[in-house]
Amino acid sequence: MNAPLKTCVLVSGNGSNLQALIDARRSGGLNFEINHVISNVAKARGLARAERSGIPTSVLDHRAFTSRDDFDRALALLICTGKPDLVVLAGFMRIIGPEVLEPLRGRMINLHPSLLPLYRGVDTYRRAIEAGDEKHGASMHFVTEELDGGPVISQVVIPIQPGDEADSLAARLSPMEHRLVVATVEFFSRHRVECMDGSVFVDGSKQEQPLQLQDNDRLT
Ligand code: GAR
């Protein structure tokens, strides 16, 4: 077996997806490690979750920097100190600028609560309901210059039910996001997943569609 995938997780708030990764790792059999958790918010619950599990944490408060570029440069340095194989944005609510992207291109992935390319940005649940969509979901995609616009690696789909409101839909999607994030990181630990020419390649083969989360928590 290869060396465990060294993963750095970035959070801004609750960190329930980070917790899902911690729990999955603890339950064993998965070939990844969480080596570093970084937050731009000192009070983020995600930091406490990491600390409780003995994972090194860092806080980089964006408000302490005079420019976005300065913050981005410091963030890139902080991430790269741990030499991660993969950087997971799990509820990290900052736009990733070129200073961060450049050294980490192809190694940084983001969890987004929509079936991308639908509904980039915020308020995805409400927008999907108001559009009359029959389904919603979450995506993991490579981070690129374009906000929520990088190639989509994996998705999970759930139905929108009659009477759903943004909160009920979000509550139903959340546990599925947890499963998606774990399955995707696990997938990276077993496969060569690359971002090239605006597409996702798995072990050298171009993916025509995002991988889908199956009932057995595998991606196919
Ligand atoms: C998740 O629902 C994730 O999809 C969303 O933030 C939440 C974080 O939850 N991310 C975005 O909206 C990014 N655009 P968590 O802090 O409990 O893991």
Side-chain angles (χ1 to χ4, degrees), residues 11-19 46 49 89-93 110-114 121-122 124-125 138-139 141 147-148 170 173-174 177-178:
V11 298
S12 294
N14 181 22
S16 68
N17 286 282
L18 166 66
Q19 188 67 56
R49 293 178 188 270
L89 310 190
F92 186 66
M93 299 305 188
N110 179 45
L111 171 66
H112 183 74
S114 81
V122 295
T124 63
Y125 309 98
S139 307
H141 65 92
L147 180 67
D148 301 327
L173 184 61
S174 174
E177 285 194 312
H178 298 162

Side-chain angles (χ1 to χ4, degrees), residues 19 27 32 43 55 68 72 84 97 140 150 157:
Q19 188 67 56
S27 68
F32 68 84
K43 286 188 177 155
I55 300 168
R68 183 179 285 274
D72 282 356
M140 295 220 66
V157 181

